[in-house]
Amino acid sequence: MSASTSADTTPVLSYSPVVLSVPGRPADLQVRVSAPVTGTGLPVILFSHGHGRSNHLSSLNGYAPLANHWAAHGFVVIQPTHLSSRTLSHLHADTPGAPYFWRSRAEDMTHVLDRLGLIEAAVPQLAGRVDHDKVAVAGHSLGGHTAGLLLGARVTDPDTGKEANLFEPRIKAGVLLAAPGRGGGVLTGPMAAQVPFLQSIDFSTMTTPTLVVAGDKDDSRHFTDMGPDWHADPYTLAPGPKTLLTLFDAEHGLGGIAGYDAAETTDEDPERVTSVGRLTAAWLRTAFHPDHAAWRAARETLTAAPAPVGRVESK
């Protein structure tokens, strides 16, 4: 990563949509690309949105607080609109994979990687500045499930009964934000029957280095009675190397990462959102450059603060 991309005030360019035609996909794959206006050798973050109630937060138009922060700190952020987005509500309910499109969501990221050079060339001022060998995936909520599959977690396809392996070896690191946890008997909530693909998730195969971010007040009773610990499962049930960042007093929105002033955020806290951006960027920078001190410095700042925003553990 070159210089001139670390300051909070670094200008960011955001370009959308870049439209990719994918054979067999019932709608074109549209992505937003955000990047700093300066710097070369920029690593890539593929970001998978959640499945919220808003029309546009769950699309390429959402998660601006995170996308802008990561881009200002030297990353190229690529945000696809998955078929599950409410912006594509014209798709019929009987479209294969509806309404969650769990498999298609992961396949979207593979399509993006297959055409990363085309995307880079389509965005003004970006050509020649992207490091195609440094790719991470991040996702929030259902997007965390998508990211987990790309990082190596596996599920049993409820339609075929066969194990689905969507691991993407070109992805070198991941960040799971308020991602779903284990399936099976713990899924006792009213939503459990509606998401059969969550019943069988296996984190034991998720070997890619990953930062799991979970709120200690994120109690997803509509899925499970496990409480907030459920969202730490991608850490506790996966092999190392893994890091768990537990955010104090954070609920499912992690302070409001899905959008500026989003009414559905139950724990709005701009400082928490800034912390999520800062800590995840530092972890990813060190994941791509192990000799970089960014993550160590971020952890020291976290523990030295009079009122820490969270705690960190690793394995």
Side-chain angles (χ1 to χ4, degrees):
M1 188 182 308
S2 66
S4 304
T5 60
S6 61
D8 288 341
T9 55
T10 298
V12 169
L13 64 88
S14 183
Y15 188 86
S16 71
V18 177
V19 181
L20 306 177
S21 179
V22 177
R25 197 177 190 270
D28 287 339
L29 177 57
Q30 298 192 15
V31 305
R32 175 183 294 275
V33 181
S34 301
V37 299
T38 59
T40 57
L42 304 173
V44 176
I45 301 175
L46 309 178
F47 185 79
S48 180
H49 61 71
H51 190 74
R53 299 186 304 273
S54 296
N55 287 326
H56 290 279
L57 293 183
S58 294
S59 77
L60 58 76
N61 292 314
Y63 294 88
L66 275 186
N68 289 340
H69 185 99
W70 287 335
H73 286 76
F75 296 90
V76 176
V77 185
I78 302 179
Q79 299 173 259
T81 295
H82 297 305
L83 292 177
S84 60
S85 173
R86 286 181 180 267
T87 63
L88 298 176
S89 59
H90 62 280
L91 295 178
H92 296 299
D94 59 357
T95 301
Y100 299 106
F101 296 96
W102 64 270
R103 181 186 289 270
S104 170
R105 291 171 62 99
E107 291 172 344
D108 286 344
M109 298 309 198
T110 293
H111 293 311
V112 167
L113 288 176
D114 289 345
R115 306 188 193 184
L116 188 55
L118 183 154
I119 294 171
E120 179 182 1
V123 178
Q125 304 179 41
L126 189 60
R129 300 172 55 214
V130 180
D131 188 336
H132 292 222
D133 294 324
K134 291 184 172 62
V135 178
V137 66
H140 176 239
S141 193
L142 182 58
H145 178 268
T146 302
L149 295 178
L150 292 159
L151 296 167
R154 298 183 185 178
V155 297
T156 298
D157 188 328
D159 294 326
T160 66
K162 297 180 179 180
E163 183 179 72
N165 180 3
L166 295 165
F167 172 66
E168 177 49 77
R170 290 173 290 185
I171 294 174
K172 306 305 182 184
V175 176
L176 306 187
L177 301 153
R182 72 188 73 181
V186 305
L187 293 182
T188 56
M191 282 289 294
Q194 299 184 37
V195 284
F197 56 89
L198 290 184
Q199 292 283 350
S200 60
I201 189 163
D202 180 5
F203 293 109
S204 69
T205 53
M206 194 175 75
T207 57
T208 308
T210 303
L211 171 64
V212 177
V213 182
D216 69 358
K217 297 292 177 61
D218 186 3
D219 192 352
S220 298
R221 292 294 178 94
H222 51 303
F223 284 118
T224 179
D225 292 330
M226 273 190 65
D229 288 345
W230 188 57
H231 295 287
D233 277 350
Y235 172 79
T236 58
L237 300 179
K242 297 290 181 293
T243 299
L244 175 65
L245 168 61
T246 303
L247 296 173
F248 300 149
D249 297 321
E251 299 178 17
H252 199 59
L254 304 179
I257 61 171
Y260 296 112
D261 300 321
E264 64 196 57
T265 300
T266 57
D267 65 332
E268 186 172 18
D269 186 334
E271 292 186 6
R272 181 176 299 135
V273 174
T274 298
S275 295
V276 171
R278 176 175 55 83
L279 290 163
T280 53
W283 185 87
L284 285 169
R285 188 170 295 113
T286 300
F288 287 131
H289 302 276
D291 58 343
H292 201 293
W295 178 237
R296 183 176 70 250
R299 288 190 62 170
E300 290 174 353
T301 301
L302 179 67
T303 57
V309 297
R311 65 176 181 272
V312 172
E313 54 190 285
S314 299
K315 63 180 182 181

